[in-house]
Amino acid sequence: QVQLVEAGGGLVQAGGSLRLSCAASGSIFSLNYMGWYRQAPGKQREFVAVLTSGNTTNYVDSVKGRFTISRGDTKNTVSLQMNSLKPEDTAVYYCTAARGPRVYWGRGTQVTVSS
């Protein structure tokens, strides 16, 4: 089992920045990737960014150039630096990780961007 805990959400004005972090614990060996999804009210959960075990990154088009995913100080952490935030970035952000066919999710952290 892998446990994921997010931190760093909050309220920020449009144009501001936030940094989310996710710490994985438990059986974290051989994780294929760690990443972030988000879910806005009334919408489906959508992919935001991913960092693979081979250090490849990928982003949804709407955040390219504004968000950066990176590995933290330890192998079992990942961060999402979010700059130039927009009201449409408001959502609950979920950390996710996978090992083989198993996908794990955190409980989410709220990000609210005011206009």
Side-chain angles (χ1 to χ4, degrees):
Q1 287 293 326
V2 175
Q3 294 80 43
L4 303 173
V5 178
E6 304 98 336
L11 172 64
V12 64
Q13 288 188 332
S17 299
L18 281 175
R19 186 177 182 88
L20 305 182
S21 63
C22 174
S25 61
S27 301
I28 61 173
F29 60 91
S30 299
L31 288 176
N32 300 112
Y33 65 77
M34 291 184 73
W36 296 90
Y37 277 67
R38 66 186 179 186
Q39 187 167 18
K43 295 187 177 181
Q44 290 187 332
R45 191 173 297 189
E46 68 166 352
F47 164 79
V48 176
V50 68
L51 174 64
T52 71
S53 59
N55 289 324
T56 299
T57 60
N58 195 21
Y59 301 89
V60 66
D61 285 346
S62 61
V63 309
K64 285 181 180 177
R66 300 189 298 122
F67 290 12
T68 302
I69 188 170
S70 61
R71 202 169 303 282
D73 293 337
T74 61
K75 190 176 182 179
N76 62 326
T77 61
V78 67
S79 297
L80 184 69
Q81 178 66 42
M82 305 185 295
N83 298 328
S84 301
L85 283 161
K86 303 175 181 180
E88 51 264 43
D89 294 318
T90 294
V92 177
Y93 284 69
Y94 296 91
C95 180
T96 184
R99 184 175 66 238
R102 292 291 303 274
V103 179
Y104 303 92
W105 295 93
R107 292 187 174 185
T109 185
Q110 177 70 46
V111 171
T112 303
V113 185
S114 63
S115 57

